[in-house]
Amino acid sequence: MGIVNVTPDSFSDGGEFLDPERAVEHGLQLAADGADVLDIGGESTRPGAAEVSAEEELRRVIPVIEGLIAAGCTKAISIDTSKAAVAERALAAGAVIVNDVTALGDAGMAGVCARGSSSLILMHMKGTPRTMQEDPTYDDVVAEVREFLAAALERAVDDGVDEDRIWLDPGIGFGKTVEHNLELIDRLGELRSLGRPIVLGASRKRFIGTLTGREVGDRVGGTLAANVIGVARGAAMLRVHDVREAREALDVAEAILGTREWREPWTAVAS
Ligand code: HH2
């Protein structure tokens, strides 16, 4: 999954792709680099980020979704939003996945996904983007994240979302210390018992900067390590800024480890 942030303030590439034409160009490049999914986001979720109105989010993302489709993009388009109204319009414009970092924080979200027959990514976050990094504590981070995702999954299914279309994400960096992030990636396999494929979003995040001393635009080496280990532990989809590098790392990892389930996440999870 390649990231297209149509925002002025994203932590890693804020402002770079605010212009719809540039965002479309960037998405097409990520597709050419080997992305299967393009994740279009109009609201930053970085710690302390300001909230954006639905109107402003729509103004940012809809031209990009329409532009990608008009340009002949055949990759699955995902809308990174926590607002049901934005998801609904994005699905109407051609998106097929809703990436909800609040895991149904908006009570209308599951209904929109059910009616639109979209896929849905449910992510764990402790608190809100404004507060989440204020001394997050857990007794057992993996157990708590697992419990949260199990409850969100149940709610989504109760609200009519097809279980086969749901993906789960531990929410790396969302209310977690460096140690929490490392433990979640290392023990990612424990989330597989929920029976749904796992999405991992570690790309360029702060814990990688802490470990490597690198600035945000210079974290691809650390990101690749997190991603390869994540896949080896059971991640079925990686949300990344640097698609070409991620794809190459997976190709080599796959050559070493043999046929891997990330190629067929649905069947692997069902078996
Ligand atoms: N991380 C970010 C945003 N959306 N979605 C999922 N499913 N998983 C993640 O880990 C995730 C996500 C944050 O990264 P980014 O989009 O690069 O930055 P920002 O939120 O500042 O736009």
Side-chain angles (χ1 to χ4, degrees):
M1 170 186 265
I3 301 168
V4 182
N5 281 324
V6 197
T7 57
D9 55 350
S10 286
F11 82 96
S12 64
D13 54 5
E16 248 188 275
F17 309 112
L18 191 55
D19 170 47
E21 264 177 47
R22 291 220 50 211
V24 169
E25 226 172 81
H26 184 57
L28 295 174
Q29 182 60 54
L30 297 181
D33 286 346
D36 294 320
V37 177
L38 298 175
D39 190 38
I40 319 299
E43 177 175 36
S44 173
T45 48
R46 77 182 155 74
E51 279 183 34
V52 174
S53 69
E55 292 68 33
E56 177 59 20
E57 229 182 297
L58 285 166
R59 205 182 59 74
R60 293 177 184 175
V61 297
I62 298 297
V64 178
I65 295 171
E66 289 175 348
L68 283 166
I69 290 170
C73 176
T74 55
K75 306 295 182 178
I77 294 176
S78 159
I79 175 71
D80 185 349
T81 188
S82 53
K83 298 185 186 73
V86 174
E88 188 159 34
R89 290 279 303 281
L91 294 178
V96 293
I97 302 171
V98 174
N99 176 21
D100 180 6
V101 299
T102 66
L104 310 181
D106 183 331
M109 187 62 101
V112 164
C113 296
R115 285 194 297 281
S117 302
S118 74
S119 293
L120 171 62
I121 299 171
L122 298 169
M123 196 197 79
H124 173 270
M125 176 177 356
K126 195 174 176 94
T128 66
R130 220 170 252 294
T131 60
M132 64 190 180
Q133 288 307 109
E134 290 168 8
D135 190 27
T137 50
Y138 301 84
D139 286 334
D140 177 341
V141 65
V142 180
E144 277 184 51
V145 166
R146 190 184 177 287
E147 205 172 298
F148 173 97
L149 292 175
L153 175 62
E154 195 177 319
R155 247 182 321 132
V157 171
D158 283 350
D159 283 357
V161 182
D162 183 351
E163 188 165 355
D164 287 346
R165 294 185 192 273
I166 299 174
W167 297 62
L168 303 174
D169 185 327
I172 298 298
F174 286 84
K176 282 110 186 168
T177 62
V178 173
E179 288 70 28
H180 294 144
N181 291 320
L182 299 178
E183 189 159 3
L184 277 166
I185 296 172
D186 191 29
R187 293 172 55 197
L188 204 62
E190 293 176 38
L191 302 180
R192 298 282 314 268
S193 58
L194 294 169
R196 302 306 312 139
I198 306 298
V199 179
L200 183 67
S203 189
R204 299 184 183 175
K205 283 189 176 164
R206 189 190 298 179
F207 79 102
I208 294 172
T210 305
L211 293 169
T212 61
R214 294 294 182 187
E215 291 303 319
V216 72
D218 196 16
R219 295 180 183 162
V220 69
T223 297
L224 293 177
N227 283 342
V228 169
I229 302 271
V231 167
R233 297 284 194 265
M237 177 145 65
L238 301 171
R239 183 180 181 277
V240 298
H241 300 87
D242 305 289
V243 169
R244 186 174 64 84
E245 290 84 350
R247 178 59 82 188
E248 288 174 4
L250 289 190
D251 285 345
V252 174
E254 182 183 32
I256 295 166
L257 298 174
T259 306
R260 298 294 307 191
E261 45 209 28
W262 68 74
R263 295 279 185 216
E264 298 169 293
W266 304 109
T267 49
V269 165
S271 63

